[in-house]
């Protein structure tokens, strides 16, 4: 579908966008009492209001026609059927199988995967039970109440986000730390906080070859051995989550202490697998099961709801509309819940590693824009940082506002204030403030004409900034599961419409290869290195500059 932009459905949307250029969104709300009802969907414990987008019924019809032209339903069926839709890696994409009901049977290449998933979940459950009951003990006989998860990308961001999001569900006395960066300061700071006798290290890596994770894992192992643990105690303090049994064994982790997953689970879609062990240990396996159940509800909805009432499909089509026809090049994720502080970072990988592609399935360069730049911060913090640009900048930035109606930690009127900000921002972004309104306001403040003329342009808000609002009753394991699955399927649908493979990530390779080449050229502290010559002038110059500093400072 590289040629989606030459289809009549695409052209119809271009014409719609041109027609709507001079129609302010506030006018679309005027005299249309049914807009909120028509442009909202409820599913899996979530409520989506997408009415504050520049949409008309005609646009929605054309977007749905575009989804049909791109064969969203066919591709969705192929994904659920375990076909190798990740063509460049010849892999199925079956993260839905990780949260399947006990009666579901998923398979790929003629092989049932559900039994293996259930067996691994059972193993995780048993392990969590033994840790929580203090049966699985550290080398000195103490219970392991601290977890250090060492992983990066999908082996870090998902569990880290979920553990933070579910803070009210943490089991008393348990702590979880996440170490991802190869910058040794990250690991060092965490090791300062933990007691080797009571710490379980989880080495999380799909490939078990990732430089950052392997470096941190080796340093953690060395620290453990230097701080009281012996070689024979490694099995009591180190477990691995991986698809690579041989590499895990080569690292010295017993097969019994390995929790496996499979190559049909993409790294950024893996928190439902063994990669979620740190979540289950921190909130209890029963809550991890609720997280899976929430995602399963969204999967069911995605699989069965008609396109027009399908939350992930509509969210994706709106993103396509804003990206390709309204001109939004960036998309903000704005959770109005402090516990969702890591959601933007998690979705950055999920979305940008999936849809940051420029080549279609047939290998030709696509003729349309694909994934936007994603960023975000929890509200209300972002309001005092980058919202200025959202309101009055020269670029259109679309945004998802996400909030629970009820806080898990009610404190005075904090949540009412938080929600009023959430609502005010989406209203302001949609309505804006016209020059006439500004002038009227300034004259009521008794400003002179000269003052009004000087100030008015600065106080105008163009409005027409597209937003979606996603509500839930409370942020809890089920709703979190539904929310993450919503975004996973949304990303998939966008990729289908754009005609790209959302499940590979070749774009991360080049930098990794070059870093391996450059590593031996970096001087150890105090070391004299020959002048770098193999690169471009900038890279050579920077290597030489760094080495000169390190030689003197060593
Ligand atoms: O470099 C990108 C990436 O491959 C991600 O896709 C992945 O989530 C991350 O690295 C970590 O990979 P692994 O789990 O194999 O260590």
């Amino acid at each position: 579908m590289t040629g989606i932009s030459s289809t009549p459905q695409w052209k119809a949307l271009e014409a719609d966008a041109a027609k709507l250029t001079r129609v302010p969104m506030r006018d679309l709300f005027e005299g249309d009492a049914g807009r909120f009802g028509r442009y909202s969907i409820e599913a899996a414990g979530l409520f989506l209001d997408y009415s504050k987008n520049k949409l008309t019924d005609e646009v929605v019809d054309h977007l749905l026609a575009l989804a049909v032209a791109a064969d969203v339903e066919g591709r969705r069926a192929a994904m659920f059927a375990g076909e190798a839709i990740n063509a460049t890696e010849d892999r199925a994409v079956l993260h839905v199988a990780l949260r399947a009901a006990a009666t579901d049977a998923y398979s790929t290449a003629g092989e049932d995967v559900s039994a293996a998933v259930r067996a691994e979940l059972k193993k995780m459950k048993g392990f969590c039970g033994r840790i929580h009951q203090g049966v699985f003990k550290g080398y000195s006989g103490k219970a392991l109440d601290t977890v250090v998860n060492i992983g990066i990308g999908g082996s870090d961001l998902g569990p880290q986000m979920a553990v933070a999001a579910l803070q009210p569900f943490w089991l008393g006395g348990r702590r979880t730390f996440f170490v991802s960066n190869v910058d040794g300061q990250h690991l060092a700071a965490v090791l300062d906080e933990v007691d080797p006798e009571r710490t379980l290290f989880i080495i999380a890596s799909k490939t078990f070859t990732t430089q950052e994770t392997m470096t941190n894992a080796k340093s953690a192992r060395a620290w453990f051995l230097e701080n009281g643990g012996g070689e024979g105690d490694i099995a009591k303090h180190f477990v691995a989550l991986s698809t690579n049994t041989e590499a895990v064994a080569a690292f010295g982790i017993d097969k019994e202490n390995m929790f496996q997953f499979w190559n049909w689970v993409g790294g950024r879609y893996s928190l439902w697998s063994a990669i979620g062990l740190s979540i289950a240990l921190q909130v209890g396996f029963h809550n991890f099961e609720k997280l899976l159940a929430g995602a399963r509800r969204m999967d069911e909805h995605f699989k069965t709801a008609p396109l027009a009432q399908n939350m992930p499909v509509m969210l994706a089509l709106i993103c396509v509309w804003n990206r390709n026809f309204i001109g939004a090049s960036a998309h903000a994720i704005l959770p109005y819940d402090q516990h969702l502080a890591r959601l933007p970072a998690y979705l950055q990988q999920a979305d940008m590693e999936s849809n940051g592609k420029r080549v279609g399935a047939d290998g030709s360069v696509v003729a349309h824009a694909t994934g936007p730049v994603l960023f975000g911060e929890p509200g209300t913090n972002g309001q005092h940082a980058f919202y200025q640009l959202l309101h009055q900048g020269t670029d259109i930035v679309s945004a998802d506002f996400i909030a629970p109606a009820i806080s898990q930690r009610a404190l005075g009127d904090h949540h009412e204030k938080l929600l009023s900000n959430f609502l005010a921002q989406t209203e302001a972004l949609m309505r804006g403030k016209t020059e006439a309104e500004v002038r009227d306001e300034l004259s009521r403040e008794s400003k002179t004409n000269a003052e009004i003329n000087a100030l008015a342009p600065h106080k105008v808000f163009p409005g027409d900034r597209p937003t979606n609002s996603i509500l839930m009753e409370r942020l809890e394991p089920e709703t979190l599961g539904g929310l993450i699955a919503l975004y996973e399927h949304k990303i998939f649908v966008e990729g289908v419409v754009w005609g790209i493979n959302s499940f590979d990530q070749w774009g991360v390779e080049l930098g990794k290869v070059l870093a391996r080449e450059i590593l031996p050229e970096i001087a150890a502290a105090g070391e004299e290195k020959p002048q770098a010559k193999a690169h471009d002038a900038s890279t050579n110059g920077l290597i030489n500059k760094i080495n000169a500093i390190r030689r003197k400072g060593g």
Side-chain angles (χ1 to χ4, degrees):
M1 287 305 303
T2 312
I4 191 75
S5 57
S6 46
T7 60
Q9 292 82 358
W10 189 279
K11 303 282 172 214
L13 286 160
E14 281 175 343
D16 292 338
K19 263 196 282 179
L20 284 168
T21 324
R22 281 191 186 75
V23 183
M25 229 195 281
R26 55 162 76 186
D27 286 6
L28 297 175
F29 274 89
E30 295 286 319
D32 180 4
R35 188 172 175 87
F36 175 71
R38 273 202 323 287
Y39 297 156
S40 55
I41 300 175
E42 194 145 19
L46 301 179
F47 180 84
L48 165 68
D49 165 30
Y50 59 92
S51 62
K52 290 192 185 99
N53 285 279
K54 207 176 233 194
L55 294 170
T56 60
D57 291 351
E58 204 179 15
V59 172
V60 172
D61 286 347
H62 291 155
L63 285 170
L64 290 166
L66 188 74
V68 171
D71 193 24
V72 165
E73 287 167 298
R75 301 309 292 160
R76 178 183 62 187
M79 178 174 78
F80 278 94
E83 286 179 30
I85 62 167
N86 175 0
T88 60
E89 295 181 315
D90 193 23
R91 287 176 186 169
V93 175
L94 268 181
H95 45 273
V96 289
L98 300 168
R99 56 222 189 192
T103 48
D104 286 341
Y106 282 97
S107 61
T108 179
E111 213 178 292
D112 167 53
V113 301
S114 299
V117 168
R118 281 193 279 274
E120 213 55 30
L121 281 172
K122 196 170 163 205
K123 185 172 169 186
M124 284 169 71
K125 185 177 181 178
F127 182 73
C128 288
R130 280 182 289 137
I131 290 276
H132 291 148
Q133 288 149 23
V135 177
F136 191 107
K137 293 185 198 326
Y139 69 89
S140 62
K142 291 189 182 158
L144 300 175
D145 59 9
T146 306
V147 164
V148 176
N149 186 90
I150 296 179
I152 197 164
S155 301
D156 166 72
L157 290 164
Q160 193 186 151
M161 176 272 292
V163 165
L166 299 178
Q167 196 266 344
F169 299 84
W170 287 4
L171 300 180
R174 295 205 64 80
R175 300 186 306 160
T176 302
F177 296 88
F178 290 88
V179 175
S180 52
N181 202 329
V182 77
D183 181 346
Q185 298 175 109
H186 197 180
L187 178 65
V190 168
L191 294 179
D192 284 347
E193 296 293 318
V194 304
D195 173 357
E197 294 177 54
R198 303 194 329 215
T199 300
L200 177 74
F201 290 94
I202 297 181
I203 316 301
S205 175
K206 180 176 170 182
T207 54
F208 231 73
T209 57
T210 304
Q211 185 200 51
E212 293 90 334
T213 303
M214 291 303 107
T215 306
N216 280 321
K218 281 180 195 141
S219 298
R221 193 176 190 276
W223 173 87
F224 176 73
L225 295 175
E226 282 158 18
N227 285 276
E231 283 287 349
D233 302 321
I234 294 284
K236 297 194 176 94
H237 290 265
F238 283 78
V239 300
L241 320 175
S242 188
T243 58
N244 189 345
T245 319
E246 292 80 44
V248 168
F251 183 84
I253 292 181
D254 195 85
K255 228 176 78 196
E256 272 310 295
N257 284 352
M258 174 182 169
F259 298 85
Q260 64 158 342
F261 59 113
W262 306 272
N263 71 8
W264 42 262
V265 182
R268 52 193 176 274
Y269 299 90
S270 65
L271 74 86
W272 324 98
S273 70
I275 290 292
L277 186 64
S278 55
I279 309 171
L281 284 169
Q282 187 62 30
V283 300
F285 198 80
H286 61 294
N287 280 321
F288 184 65
E289 285 180 315
K290 287 182 186 174
L291 184 80
L292 302 187
R296 181 162 66 242
R297 276 179 76 191
M298 185 55 77
D299 295 342
E300 275 306 311
H301 166 78
F302 176 54
K303 206 160 59 169
T304 55
L307 297 186
Q309 279 99 51
N310 197 304
M311 196 183 281
V313 170
M314 288 312 299
L315 201 57
L317 292 177
I318 290 157
C319 182
V320 168
W321 170 246
N322 287 328
R323 178 79 179 106
N324 298 107
F325 303 96
I326 300 289
S329 57
H331 185 74
I333 300 291
L334 308 171
Y336 278 65
D337 187 308
Q338 189 58 29
H339 289 152
L340 287 175
R342 295 298 293 165
L343 184 70
Y346 165 75
L347 287 178
Q348 258 173 350
Q349 187 202 12
D351 198 305
M352 293 168 81
E353 205 172 72
S354 297
N355 287 342
K357 313 277 165 72
R358 54 187 275 287
V359 167
D362 62 2
S364 56
V365 175
V366 296
H368 49 269
T370 60
V373 172
L374 239 85
F375 70 103
E377 272 292 319
T380 56
N381 295 354
Q383 291 176 202
H384 299 272
F386 55 81
Y387 280 36
Q388 163 66 40
L389 186 148
L390 306 193
H391 286 286
Q392 289 188 317
T394 49
D395 283 335
I396 303 269
V397 178
S398 55
D400 292 348
F401 283 73
I402 303 162
I406 301 170
S407 173
Q408 291 287 10
R409 302 281 291 267
L411 182 64
D413 62 355
H414 285 240
H415 204 62
E416 290 82 342
K417 286 178 176 156
L418 183 71
L419 289 173
S420 66
N421 274 282
F422 167 98
L423 295 164
Q425 289 297 329
T426 67
E427 187 171 27
L429 286 162
M430 183 276 285
R431 284 188 63 79
K433 197 189 263 187
T434 64
E435 189 174 337
E437 286 168 344
V438 172
R439 285 182 170 278
D440 184 47
E441 195 178 277
L442 289 172
S443 63
R444 275 188 278 111
E445 287 168 20
S446 311
K447 298 274 190 241
T448 65
N449 271 350
E451 283 169 332
I452 292 174
N453 288 341
L455 260 183
H458 300 279
K459 300 192 89 168
V460 168
F461 287 68
D464 273 2
R465 303 316 210 220
T467 64
N468 299 302
S469 298
I470 299 173
L471 295 177
M472 64 196 85
E473 189 179 306
R474 287 185 173 82
L475 179 60
E476 46 198 11
E478 292 93 336
T479 43
L480 180 67
L483 183 70
I484 304 167
L486 165 65
Y487 277 103
E488 287 180 342
H489 296 318
K490 173 214 184 226
I491 290 164
F492 165 72
V493 172
E494 286 165 359
V496 171
V497 172
W498 286 325
I500 55 177
N501 178 2
S502 300
F503 301 106
D504 59 13
Q505 56 284 317
W506 300 107
V508 301
E509 295 303 325
L510 180 57
K512 287 187 192 175
V513 172
L514 291 181
R516 273 199 294 273
E517 284 175 17
I518 292 173
L519 180 59
E521 298 181 61
I522 306 289
E527 189 191 7
E528 174 91 43
K529 277 276 186 193
Q531 291 286 299
K533 291 198 184 77
H535 310 274
D536 59 86
S538 163
T539 311
N540 286 334
L542 289 167
I543 294 172
N544 294 332
K545 185 85 192 157
I546 288 170
N547 284 347
I549 297 169
R550 289 175 63 79
R551 190 183 64 239
K552 275 197 260 146

